[in-house]
Amino acid sequence: MNLYAIRAIYRAEMARTGRTLLQSIVSPVVSTSLYFVVFGAAIGSRIPEIGGVSYGAFIVPGLIMLMLLTQSVSMAAFAIYFPKFLGTIYELLSAPVSFLEVVIGYVGAAATKAVILGLIILATASFFVPLEIAHPLWMLLFLVLTAITFSLFGFILGVWADGFEKLQFVPLLIITPLAFLGGTFYTVDMLPPFWQTVTLLNPVLYLISGFRWSFYGVADVSVALSLGMILLFLVLCLAAVWWIFRTGYRLRE
Amino acid sequence: MSIDTPAIEISELGKTYASGEQALDGVSLTIRRGEIFALLGPNGAGKTTLISIICGIVNPGPGRVRVEGFDIVRDWRAARSLIGLVPQELHTDAFESVWNTVSFSRGLFGLAPKPAYVEQLLRDLTLWDKRGSEMRTLSGGMKRRVMIAKALAHEPRVLFLDEPTAGVDVELRRGMWQVVRRLRDNGVTVVLTTHYIEEAEEMADRVGVIHRGRLVEVEATATLMSRLGRKQLSVNLVEPLQAVPEALAERDVSLAEDGHTLVYDYDAAAEETGVRQLLAALEHSGVAYRDISTRQSSLEEIFVNLVNHREDGAP
């Protein structure tokens, strides 16, 4: 295992975040905080409690998950897309580095940033809404697993993308709608029966449900199913990344 | 690993891209340790593809490549750790500092940080004063030197330089040649591709000519020059001539500069060059001359002749 290579990639990526703090950390925290202000402190007080939880507090796990998903994908996608775009990928391809080491470096850094971001948003939320975390270790497990899984997904996106438009397309036009329609602002049983069935096809629902359970002990689907869905997606992403490096898809000619 | 193991050993290497373009066709080549080998060829000849395959950037086709005995597919990690690559284009992260980008390269190749080595490297390449500067603030020449520093950061035994002095001014080019010679003196094998024939002539111990994916010639630079090179004798006349004197008509002589100069092409390696007879014939014809000069044909002329020779369908 080329540990020095993993460390070099990881540190370079973390340093890049340090140079773009406004875009990487401050901007997502501020935009999420606006939700807490509007739906928590302002409108939230006029909306009845859901499952014994105030509306402002209810939306916190969903909003953290929304930010976690979009930022994990974006950060990992940009991390591998930029070397392709700039041409510096030649160094990665010519180095004695295995696909596993490359992935650990890039995905590890993106997941770390996403988890830090999630924890900052959580801390910020506590200023606006009353928060409780019933199962803190499970909360951390969901946070870390989701960050890793979607960073892997972002890595695949970054390899696949051949332009900036495609990089933006998935987080903005696929993940964000799925998160909004996956129970960020409501529970499944608040929907008409037909839409309840449709919503169950949304994979993000399982992530938000499991994450919310770790906060308040209430969930739309069983926790085991939520965990299973994350692990399934993780395995699928790992298989795709393994195939990319084996074939050199969009990396090696 | 035997000391006699070649630095690079390529046998019957082919490469056809997905587009159907055949970039390499059965290339076999052995590059000895510690030599400077120049790969010459026109654009699209297959030089960069060959280098890219050896370095791991392009998937290899049929055939086999070994770097100091390590197969680039089976022992890829060992093979790659021996290689440093300076690509043709100046690919850099614009916002990264010189120090960080060179240190990153060392880490990527699996070596522990060694600030003293990186410092020496930057000093050798006259980049030490710029160590804290972002890449985007550097001139093209400086960026080129940073690329060399990155390629040397992991102390490679084989260094590939793909068009290292393209777009670089003469002074900097000579500076780079010094760096390359110093590397060779330290036992590093250097493989360079270049458009500047004078660069190969000046630097290389051996030259390989690649054309349409095939290696058409591999020879020591001096041997290639003497085997295929020709010399030209110019005789500056006192009075201009209207035509070549009858006594010289059978020789490869022509008039130039409005009859002021007689030009004689001859084979420098031949047992009898004909120079003595030519001068005797001039004396005999009563043609007075002011000066005599000779010129060796350049590697460029040899290269063009070789390529044209192949294009004419000669074996």
Side-chain angles (χ1 to χ4, degrees), chain B residues 10-33:
Chain B
I10 304 167
S11 52
E12 291 299 316
L13 183 66
K15 175 68 188 177
T16 304
Y17 286 107
S19 62
E21 178 203 346
Q22 188 174 31
L24 295 176
D25 181 11
V27 171
S28 294
L29 172 66
T30 300
I31 297 173
R32 295 187 284 265
R33 287 193 193 200

Side-chain angles (χ1 to χ4, degrees), chain A residues 68-92:
Chain A
L68 194 70
L69 298 180
T70 53
Q71 290 301 313
S72 303
V73 171
S74 289
M75 286 191 282
F78 272 94
I80 190 65
Y81 178 75
F82 262 107
K84 278 174 51 188
F85 177 71
L86 295 172
T88 53
I89 191 86
Y90 85 88
E91 202 174 17
L92 206 59

Side-chain angles (χ1 to χ4, degrees), chain B residues 28-312:
Chain B
S28 294
L29 172 66
T30 300
I31 297 173
R32 295 187 284 265
R33 287 193 193 200
E35 73 172 329
I36 299 179
F37 188 90
L39 205 52
L40 296 180
N43 283 333
K47 305 186 295 288
T48 301
T49 298
L50 183 60
I51 285 185
S52 299
I53 287 176
I54 300 170
C55 293
I57 296 167
V58 169
N59 286 327
R64 191 166 190 182
V65 181
R66 289 198 190 116
V67 180
E68 295 207 351
F70 294 108
D71 187 284
I72 62 159
V73 177
R74 203 181 57 230
D75 311 312
W76 62 274
R77 208 188 273 270
R80 285 186 204 170
S81 65
L82 297 171
I83 296 174
L85 167 67
V86 182
Q88 196 171 334
E89 304 291 333
L90 295 172
H91 302 301
T92 58
D93 185 341
F95 298 97
E96 196 64 272
S97 73
V98 170
W99 178 270
N100 284 347
T101 194
V102 175
S103 302
F104 172 79
S105 299
R106 185 176 172 86
L108 203 57
F109 278 75
L111 295 186
K114 198 173 173 185
Y117 175 76
V118 176
E119 178 180 337
Q120 191 56 51
L121 196 56
L122 295 184
R123 286 189 188 281
D124 286 349
L125 291 161
T126 57
L127 286 166
W128 180 243
D129 293 343
K130 296 286 179 185
R131 63 190 179 280
S133 305
E134 289 183 354
M135 291 297 294
R136 66 194 168 112
T137 65
L138 303 184
S139 67
M142 282 179 185
K143 281 181 188 159
R144 182 76 64 183
R145 275 181 279 157
V146 174
M147 301 302 284
I148 294 177
K150 280 170 76 66
L152 294 175
H154 63 285
E155 303 164 53
R157 298 232 285 270
V158 181
L159 181 67
F160 285 93
L161 298 155
D162 197 1
E163 305 278 354
T165 53
V168 166
D169 62 47
V170 176
E171 195 183 343
L172 189 57
R173 193 181 308 166
R174 295 200 181 278
M176 286 203 184
W177 291 355
Q178 278 179 5
V179 171
V180 171
R181 283 200 190 94
R182 224 166 36 228
L183 287 169
R184 193 261 307 272
D185 294 343
N186 290 331
V188 176
T189 307
V190 180
V191 182
L192 60 96
T193 70
T194 179
H195 272 102
Y196 298 110
I197 311 286
E198 59 155 347
E199 191 161 68
E201 211 171 322
E202 172 85 20
M203 303 277 300
D205 300 310
R206 286 196 305 151
V207 172
V209 178
I210 191 166
H211 184 52
R212 291 183 180 164
R214 296 189 70 88
L215 206 57
V216 295
E217 197 74 46
V218 179
E219 199 76 82
T221 314
T223 312
L224 193 67
M225 298 284 291
S226 64
R227 188 164 71 80
L228 297 171
R230 292 186 65 81
K231 284 194 97 173
Q232 198 172 65
L233 176 81
S234 297
V235 183
N236 187 227
L237 306 173
V238 175
E239 295 291 335
L241 293 176
Q242 297 297 319
V244 175
E246 194 124 327
L248 305 175
E250 288 179 10
R251 299 183 184 279
D252 191 4
V253 176
S254 57
L255 275 173
E257 294 176 6
D258 293 333
H260 281 93
T261 305
L262 267 173
V263 179
Y264 172 51
D265 283 311
Y266 63 99
D267 182 357
E271 203 166 304
E272 184 53 76
T273 59
V275 172
R276 194 169 48 84
Q277 290 86 338
L278 176 91
L279 295 177
L282 281 177
E283 291 279 357
H284 189 257
S285 309
V287 178
Y289 51 91
R290 193 177 281 127
D291 195 10
I292 298 172
S293 61
T294 61
R295 187 180 74 84
Q296 178 106 33
S297 60
S298 70
L299 192 55
E300 180 152 12
E301 287 160 338
I302 295 172
F303 169 69
V304 170
N305 284 339
L306 260 175
V307 169
N308 288 341
H309 188 61
R310 296 278 160 178
E311 281 178 346
D312 289 344

Side-chain angles (χ1 to χ4, degrees), chain A residues 28 75 85 95 97 111 124 144 170 187 193 196 209 221-222 241 245:
Chain A
M75 286 191 282
F85 177 71
V97 193
T124 312
V144 171
V170 173
T187 56
Q196 283 188 26
S209 171
V221 293
S222 83
V241 169
F245 276 87

